[in-house]
Amino acid sequence: MIATYGYQDVLFVSGNMFLKALQTGAYALLLPPLAFLVMLVVTRPGRRLQLMRGARRLLGRGALALAIFFLPFLLLSLGDGHVDITNPDPRAALFFILVVPLLILWFVCFWCCTVYWAARTGLWTGEIHPLLAPVGTTALMLLINGLELFEGDTKGVPHGLWLTLNLCGTVTSLMLAALEYRHLRSVGYRFRSGPEPVTGGEPEPAVTGPAPLRAGDVAG
């Protein structure tokens, strides 16, 4: 905002950032199911059950987000038959004048923050596997920034400044993702070992099946 203050209005920059968050969220809708399928393939058979717990947590977050999103529409539909515009109750009028605008403002801010949070976390793909958070969000970032660079719409900002801001944003995002990925790897997270950290000396998961007979065993 500081760098583009002389070329764009502050409200325009804020709106543009929110639109980019919505765009990222729209692309991120495809990330959880695709990531879950990929993780089912690459994870060792003995660890795949752990992915289901993360998938249930992700679905719970999604259900809660949808409930919050549709809550105002539900309240409006329930209260529609109890509002008499021709003969309003003074207390109801006072409520609508003082309280409802504050509730609407709070909900709009909360909704915007939720959309931005969901977009920046790749719709909570880290719940499936912690390593998916830096990897998935980096892929989304490269897709969004690549499309923006390809379109080349500077929106009134000088091309050199616009290109510098976009490239610096890409580089810093890559650096943060690399540091987060390296940290998660250092504490024991591996793609093939499931979403729980493992130690270097942890044995491989046992293969299910009948145990082989040993010398001295008596066949019944």
Side-chain angles (χ1 to χ4, degrees):
M1 288 184 179
I2 296 175
T4 60
Y5 176 75
Y7 311 100
Q8 292 180 340
D9 185 75
V10 174
L11 293 178
F12 176 81
V13 177
S14 303
N16 189 45
M17 291 173 60
F18 179 68
L19 289 177
K20 182 176 286 190
L22 286 178
Q23 185 184 17
T24 306
Y27 283 112
L29 287 173
L30 298 176
L31 185 59
L34 291 177
F36 182 71
L37 291 177
V38 171
M39 292 307 301
L40 281 179
V41 174
V42 302
T43 304
R44 295 188 179 99
R47 310 273 185 181
R48 289 174 182 169
L49 186 61
Q50 298 174 357
L51 297 175
M52 301 303 298
R53 293 195 290 266
R56 287 194 294 267
R57 288 195 299 268
L58 187 146
L59 290 175
R61 291 181 183 272
L64 181 61
L66 287 176
I68 293 173
F69 180 81
F70 286 107
L71 180 62
F73 304 102
L74 176 62
L75 294 177
L76 287 175
S77 64
L78 293 176
D80 185 50
H82 302 282
V83 177
D84 187 1
I85 301 178
T86 60
N87 187 22
D89 187 351
R91 292 173 298 179
L94 184 64
F95 176 81
F96 275 93
I97 293 174
L98 298 179
V99 179
V100 170
L102 294 177
L103 291 176
I104 293 176
L105 178 62
W106 175 86
F107 182 80
V108 169
C109 295
F110 179 75
W111 190 83
C112 293
C113 291
T114 302
V115 171
Y116 186 79
W117 174 47
R120 293 298 294 175
T121 56
L123 293 186
W124 313 293
T125 50
E127 294 290 353
I128 300 175
H129 195 292
L131 289 178
L132 288 176
V135 174
T137 53
T138 299
L140 288 174
M141 179 274 297
L142 292 175
L143 176 62
I144 298 295
N145 286 11
L147 291 175
E148 187 165 341
L149 290 172
F150 178 77
E151 293 172 357
D153 186 6
T154 64
K155 297 180 175 64
V157 179
H159 189 270
L161 177 60
W162 171 84
L163 185 62
T164 301
L165 291 174
N166 278 280
L167 291 180
C168 287
T170 302
V171 171
T172 52
S173 297
L174 286 173
M175 291 175 59
L176 290 173
L179 290 173
E180 177 66 14
Y181 182 83
R182 183 178 179 181
H183 167 70
L184 292 172
R185 292 274 301 182
S186 68
V187 296
Y189 288 104
R190 301 291 186 271
F191 274 113
R192 298 206 63 201
S193 300
E196 300 296 332
V198 296
T199 59
E202 182 172 327
E204 295 292 329
V207 179
T208 58
L213 291 176
R214 296 174 299 175
D217 290 342
V218 179

